[in-house]
Amino acid sequence: MTERIALDLPDGRVLDVRVSGPTDGPLFIWHHGTPGCGHQGPRQQRVLHERGVRFASYSRAGAAGSTRNPGRAVADVAADMAAIADHLGAERFLTGGQSGGGPHALATGALLPDRVLAVLAVCSVKPYVGQPDFLDGMGADNVEEFGLAVEGEAPLLAYLERQRPELLDTGVDDVIRALDTLLPDVDRAVLTGEVGSELLESLQGGVQELYGWLDDDLAFTKDWGFAVDEIAVPTYVWQGDADLMVPFHHGEWLAARIPGAVAHLEPGEGHLSIQVNNFGDMVDEVLAHVPRR
């Protein structure tokens, strides 16, 4: 059973949080992709619950159920994660994120080094500032979206408003068509049954309110508020070379610059398939950092 919490934050905002799994297990906080929400898919729940892990997810500021934090930087998520851990009574915790959730997981590790045991970054984008090759290898839809993010809030919001109807009140096949330039064959192959339903629910939850999506894109294209070479906790970077949403060189760059990062640069894996095929191994790696009782 998944508990849904409207968590009051010190600055007056509310954060939509979902929690499942054993209350006495180590806490794992997951950062959803962009766009997305705190929906917990049954596949991730099974992997985590079978290992005795307490699974927490949330909708980022401005997404479904969470108050907007205008002008937020990627680094601002760390205070929200500390509030989740405090509410759940966890002094220390694990964290991970995929795609647009990756930078937020990295920020949590960088800025809460005394609380984060380990970080899992799956298909995470690298910083935009100072990286002229950021867009190289991305599908056309992402190139257009990030180009508008650089122009500012107004043109980006107009673009997202045009995109939203394609993601709402549709089925998995419609989403695949809407994301045509971003899905290699290996990702299309896994978008069936449970995985497809999980992606659809997270996407549709994430576009109910557009400010979570909007503010993510804007935050990615400005200074993140921390440097990845400041990360001092164990970090695992997973990236597939068939990924069209976050190209392979993003994972290579992060793995080369995060001190001590363990890199899994996987041939033949896409943006979605890499987690579908490897999530158990990903979780086992970070769980190795939980102190034995």
Side-chain angles (χ1 to χ4, degrees), residues 30-31 43 52 73 78 98 130 136 186 210 224 227 237 242-243 250 256-257:
W30 180 253
H31 304 256
R43 180 181 51 85
Q98 182 162 1
D136 291 356
V186 68
L210 286 178
W224 284 6
V237 175
D243 193 335
H250 284 243
R257 286 161 178 79

Side-chain angles (χ1 to χ4, degrees), residues 4 19 25 27 38 46 76 83 87 94 128 134 136 144 149 167 202 212 215 234 255-256 260 265 270 272 281-282:
R4 191 166 183 175
V19 185
L27 178 64
R46 280 197 304 273
D76 292 334
H87 180 79
L94 304 164
Y128 180 91
F134 183 91
D136 291 356
E144 182 177 8
L167 299 175
S202 181
D215 292 338
L265 304 175
L272 306 175
D281 291 337
M282 294 174 179

Side-chain angles (χ1 to χ4, degrees), residues 217-242:
D217 283 354
L218 294 174
F220 296 148
T221 57
K222 64 184 183 182
D223 189 283
W224 284 6
F226 70 99
V228 298
D229 61 7
E230 298 170 355
I231 298 173
V233 300
T235 302
Y236 297 85
V237 175
W238 287 74
Q239 178 70 49
D241 70 357

Side-chain angles (χ1 to χ4, degrees), residues 139-161:
D141 289 344
N142 269 16
V143 171
E144 182 177 8
E145 186 175 326
F146 278 114
L148 291 168
V150 174
E151 291 183 23
E153 179 172 327
L156 178 59
L157 182 58
Y159 171 82
L160 300 184
E161 287 173 338

Side-chain angles (χ1 to χ4, degrees), residues 1-207:
M1 181 176 178
T2 303
E3 179 186 6
R4 191 166 183 175
I5 302 165
L7 180 61
D8 293 321
L9 298 173
D11 63 4
R13 290 183 295 118
V14 173
L15 199 66
D16 175 55
V17 179
R18 328 261 179 118
V19 185
S20 66
T23 59
D24 60 348
L27 178 64
F28 181 90
I29 302 178
W30 180 253
H31 304 256
H32 62 76
T34 304
C37 66
H39 170 69
Q40 294 190 358
R43 180 181 51 85
Q44 280 189 315
Q45 284 187 338
R46 280 197 304 273
V47 169
L48 291 163
H49 297 173
E50 286 169 358
R51 290 161 171 77
V53 176
R54 193 177 195 191
F55 180 18
S57 58
Y58 71 104
S59 297
R60 267 191 300 282
S66 292
T67 310
R68 188 186 185 194
N69 184 12
R72 61 177 164 90
V74 173
D76 292 334
V77 79
D80 292 355
M81 297 307 98
I84 291 175
D86 289 345
H87 180 79
L88 297 177
E91 178 59 33
R92 307 200 71 191
F93 59 94
L94 304 164
T95 194
Q98 182 162 1
S99 190
H104 295 91
L106 294 173
T108 304
L111 300 172
L112 300 175
D114 295 333
R115 303 195 66 174
V116 173
L117 294 164
V119 176
L120 167 63
V122 184
C123 303
S124 172
V125 293
K126 66 180 181 179
Y128 180 91
V129 175
Q131 301 299 314
D133 65 346
F134 183 91
L135 297 175
D136 291 356
M138 284 189 182
D141 289 344
N142 269 16
V143 171
E144 182 177 8
E145 186 175 326
F146 278 114
L148 291 168
V150 174
E151 291 183 23
E153 179 172 327
L156 178 59
L157 182 58
Y159 171 82
L160 300 184
E161 287 173 338
R162 294 194 299 271
Q163 298 300 308
R164 175 164 53 185
E166 289 191 274
L167 299 175
L168 290 173
D169 301 320
T170 60
V172 173
D173 290 342
D174 300 303
V175 169
I176 290 174
R177 283 192 290 272
L179 301 177
D180 181 60
T181 72
L182 301 173
L183 293 176
D185 289 342
V186 68
D187 281 339
R188 293 171 191 269
V190 301
L191 278 177
T192 59
E194 188 175 72
V195 175
S197 298
E198 179 181 317
L199 175 67
L200 185 63
E201 189 156 352
S202 181
L203 283 174
Q204 290 183 337
V207 300

Side-chain angles (χ1 to χ4, degrees), residues 240-255:
D241 70 357
D243 193 335
L244 296 177
M245 294 191 191
V246 178
F248 193 59
H249 62 87
H250 284 243
E252 292 180 308
W253 189 94
L254 289 170

